[in-house]
């Protein structure tokens, strides 16, 4: 609920936060509802932050490596 607080690591299919969460979340989908607050690291395929929801920290797309994308983009530019 809105007054709930959690600290630690969460691994789930879906995480919906209306209270406070401080830690690491590894989920397919993360949704922060109005008044919800996440501080920490999120690894997810889908991140939804509703109006008046707050997120402070680092987020990474699940199964996605930005370093690999940067290398691929550089190689494509070299071909042109």
């Amino acid at each position: 609920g809105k007054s709930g607080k959690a600290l630690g690591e969460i691994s789930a299919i879906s995480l919906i936060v209306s209270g406070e969460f401080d830690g690491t979340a590894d989920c397919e989908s993360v949704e922060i509802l109005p008044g919800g607050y996440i501080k920490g690291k999120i690894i997810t395929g889908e991140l939804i932050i509703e109006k008046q929801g707050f997120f402070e920290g680092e987020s990474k797309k699940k199964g996605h490596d930005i370093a690999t994308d940067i290398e691929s983009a550089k190689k494509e530019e070299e071909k042109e």
Side-chain angles (χ1 to χ4, degrees):
K2 293 181 181 182
S3 63
K5 294 183 181 182
L7 174 67
E9 294 184 12
I10 293 177
S11 181
I13 293 172
S14 179
L15 174 64
I16 300 172
V17 178
S18 59
E20 293 181 25
F21 173 69
D22 187 344
T24 301
D26 185 349
C27 307
E28 293 298 323
S29 174
V30 175
E31 183 173 2
I32 305 172
L33 301 177
Y37 176 76
I38 293 179
K39 180 179 180 182
K41 183 176 181 179
I42 297 174
I43 303 164
T44 187
E46 178 181 47
L47 175 59
I48 302 163
I49 304 174
E50 293 191 15
K51 191 173 185 176
Q52 296 187 1
F54 297 94
F55 170 61
E56 179 182 350
E58 176 185 1
S59 66
K60 291 188 177 186
K61 186 164 176 68
K62 194 170 189 69
H64 188 78
D65 183 359
I66 194 161
T68 302
D69 281 354
I70 291 169
E71 274 304 311
S72 296
K74 285 181 183 177
K75 287 179 183 177
E76 287 299 316
E77 286 177 6
E78 290 171 2
K79 289 180 184 177
E80 294 174 357

